[in-house]
Amino acid sequence: MSTDHPDPGSTPVSQAEARPADRVIQLTLDGRVLTARTGDSVAAALIDAGIVSWRRTRKDALPRGLFCGIGICYDCLITIDGHPDQRACMAPVSVGMQLSTERRDATEGR
Ligand code: FES
């Protein structure tokens, strides 16, 4: 019998309950240790830690964080392991990941 397909009598709930337990991992935001579960997005890990804003707009320094949650608006940009301007809602967490808040001033990059 193939294991590629779930039991035809199973339900979405029973399939979710049968999934291996998520592993708790650690990552950091500006040196602050956070925990997340494998499979979480960076944005989910930040929100779960009570962090709702992790960058500011260049012009008026307005706080930004998760907005669309599907990779379209680019409001959630963050530096991941030294790579700036990554979408937190699209990036999965990984063990030891180092996140940095975006702190450029209004004149940088012009
Ligand atoms: S929240 Fe819109 S791109 Fe990430």
Side-chain angles (χ1 to χ4, degrees):
M1 181 172 142
S2 171
T3 58
D4 294 337
H5 302 286
D7 176 355
S10 68
T11 66
V13 171
S14 67
Q15 292 173 30
E17 289 172 344
R19 194 177 79 179
D22 293 330
R23 193 166 63 118
V24 175
I25 63 170
Q26 288 189 334
L27 57 156
T28 60
L29 173 67
D30 295 334
R32 174 182 165 189
V33 176
L34 308 175
T35 57
R37 291 176 303 273
T38 53
D40 283 353
S41 68
V42 168
L46 293 171
I47 296 292
D48 195 41
I51 300 165
V52 296
S53 173
W54 48 86
R55 76 171 184 95
R56 298 214 169 244
T57 59
R58 290 182 185 195
K59 183 177 178 192
D60 297 321
L62 299 171
R64 290 292 183 265
L66 188 67
F67 185 65
C68 75
I70 56 173
I72 295 174
C73 73
Y74 287 73
D75 262 8
C76 64
L77 296 179
I78 193 166
T79 298
I80 300 175
D81 292 332
H83 301 283
D85 300 332
Q86 304 298 304
R87 289 172 292 174
C89 67
M90 301 303 289
V93 294
S94 63
V95 175
M97 178 179 268
Q98 295 181 347
L99 307 172
S100 306
T101 51
E102 303 272 333
R103 294 188 177 164
R104 283 178 263 163
D105 69 26
T107 59
E108 191 173 332
R110 291 187 179 172

